[in-house]
Amino acid sequence: MARESSLRARIAQRRRCADGVVVLDIEPVDGDLPGWGPGAHIDFAPDGGPRRQYSLCGDPADPGRWRIAVLDVVDGRGGSRWIHEHVRAGDEVTVAGPRNHFAFEDAPVYQFVAGGIGITPILPMLRAAEAAGADWRLAYGGRTRASMAFLDELEAYGARVSVLPQDETGLLDLPRILGEPVPGRAVYACGPEPLLAALEAELAGRPGERLHLERFSPKEQVDGGSGAFEVEIASTGARIGVGEGVSIIDALAAAGIEVDFSCREGTCGTCETGVLGGVPDHRDSILTAEEREANDCMLICVGRCRSGPLVLDL
């Protein structure tokens, strides 16, 4: 697998959007930025700061500018704190992508659900649904109204958008928001894990509606064991042992094989790798049920092996 290319970009503008949220407009140093669609995210690496993933929330039709919004996560891994404290307009950064595991699909009816900073990947979807003339609604929850980003932009959509701060209305009432089953409806949601887990449970018994989720943190996995196994490199036939408690990425690195990775949690998709043989043990928070059943790709930062050797398309 070819290493993903990165490029240099510049912070064109920085502004505060809500309590604890800054918006960064990103422009290329030279040429245009790669195209993208609603639901895409990028890798963002400030000089001297950590590499993290952020959803694009601007206009896909603008090739000269990307936009991200960054919540200052007090108990996070430090990436958002670095951005809030150090990144300013005019700074140059390294970006890579975009990648999209939350792609916007055609549907006659949409229900969007956003929790907090989870509004970011939803914003371009609202524009796309509106442009397509689709029937859509958004339920947007947050801790307080002051903490909820982009409320000014959402006002333009009128009654299609329900702004539901927790301190005013309580937790999102998912049964009321979803209402009766709507055949063909697509439900797109992004936000904290308890919200997404509740949506999964609510929609589990509703055939005909398709749920699409974007997670910012890994989904809790059932421990399927972590014994040793082998992977085979398709291009060379070389076999590499992966020890108990060792990730495939680390085993490959020890053998001198470099692959792109970032989060190491199975949430960003950077290390997605084709599988040509064997059966993976999927432990990521990205792949759909259909993609898991196909067993033709896996996230090698967290994935293991059910039946091997795993033949990797490398």
Side-chain angles (χ1 to χ4, degrees):
M1 182 178 68
R3 292 181 61 80
E4 184 177 65
S5 61
S6 58
L7 58 90
R8 296 292 287 171
R10 181 184 299 109
I11 305 302
Q13 183 180 30
R14 168 187 162 131
R15 64 182 176 90
R16 180 180 175 276
C17 184
D19 288 350
V21 179
V22 296
V23 175
L24 302 178
D25 289 330
I26 303 165
E27 62 183 11
V29 172
D30 296 300
D32 287 333
L33 295 164
W36 60 283
H41 67 267
I42 61 167
D43 281 6
F44 181 88
D47 290 349
R51 176 180 177 182
R52 295 289 186 264
Q53 294 75 44
Y54 296 99
S55 296
L56 291 170
C57 55
D59 183 358
D62 184 354
R65 184 162 294 201
W66 285 344
R67 181 175 72 169
I68 62 174
V70 182
L71 171 67
D72 188 2
V73 182
V74 176
D75 57 351
R77 295 180 295 157
S80 66
R81 169 56 50 176
W82 178 275
I83 289 171
H84 276 254
E85 291 184 347
H86 299 287
V87 175
R88 298 290 182 266
D91 289 354
E92 289 197 7
V93 297
T94 299
V95 295
R99 291 183 300 276
N100 200 336
H101 292 275
F102 192 44
F104 184 68
E105 299 179 0
D106 290 338
V109 183
Y110 297 95
Q111 176 65 60
F112 300 101
V113 181
I117 200 63
I119 189 63
T120 51
I122 299 296
L123 281 177
M125 295 185 181
L126 303 185
R127 299 187 192 99
E130 186 78 356
D135 181 7
W136 66 268
R137 296 291 185 276
L138 165 66
Y140 179 19
R143 292 181 292 103
T144 65
R145 194 174 293 268
S147 72
M148 299 170 69
F150 301 112
L151 292 183
D152 54 344
E153 293 187 21
L154 294 172
E155 287 181 357
Y157 296 120
R160 289 181 182 269
V161 174
S162 298
V163 176
L164 303 167
Q166 185 177 342
D167 65 340
E168 298 177 22
T169 63
L171 295 174
L172 293 180
D173 185 348
L174 296 180
R176 183 189 64 79
I177 290 167
L178 294 172
E180 295 298 317
V182 179
R185 179 169 62 175
V187 179
Y188 280 86
C190 183
E193 182 56 31
L195 171 63
L196 303 188
L199 269 170
E200 285 183 312
E202 194 68 33
L203 285 164
R206 298 166 64 116
E209 295 182 292
R210 185 169 176 81
L211 177 62
H212 306 260
L213 301 177
E214 173 89 319
R215 285 183 157 89
F216 291 146
S217 58
K219 182 179 180 181
E220 184 176 351
Q221 302 288 337
V222 176
D223 186 5
S226 56
F229 57 94
E230 285 190 327
V231 297
E232 180 178 318
I233 308 304
S235 62
T236 65
R239 288 199 176 187
I240 298 166
V242 182
E244 182 175 353
V246 177
S247 72
I248 296 176
I249 282 177
D250 287 338
L252 293 176
I257 300 173
E258 293 187 4
V259 296
D260 280 312
F261 65 90
S262 183
C263 72
R264 286 185 172 270
E265 295 180 332
T267 58
C268 76
T270 307
C271 69
E272 182 177 338
T273 302
V275 177
L276 304 179
V279 180
D281 178 5
H282 299 288
R283 302 189 182 186
D284 61 90
S285 302
I286 289 181
L287 297 180
T288 65
E290 292 82 0
E291 289 169 331
R292 289 170 181 249
E293 290 173 5
N295 286 323
D296 57 4
C297 66
M298 68 184 298
L299 279 295
I300 60 174
C301 64
V302 292
R304 307 294 292 174
C305 177
R306 293 190 182 277
S307 174
L310 288 176
V311 183
L312 302 181
D313 189 12
L314 294 171

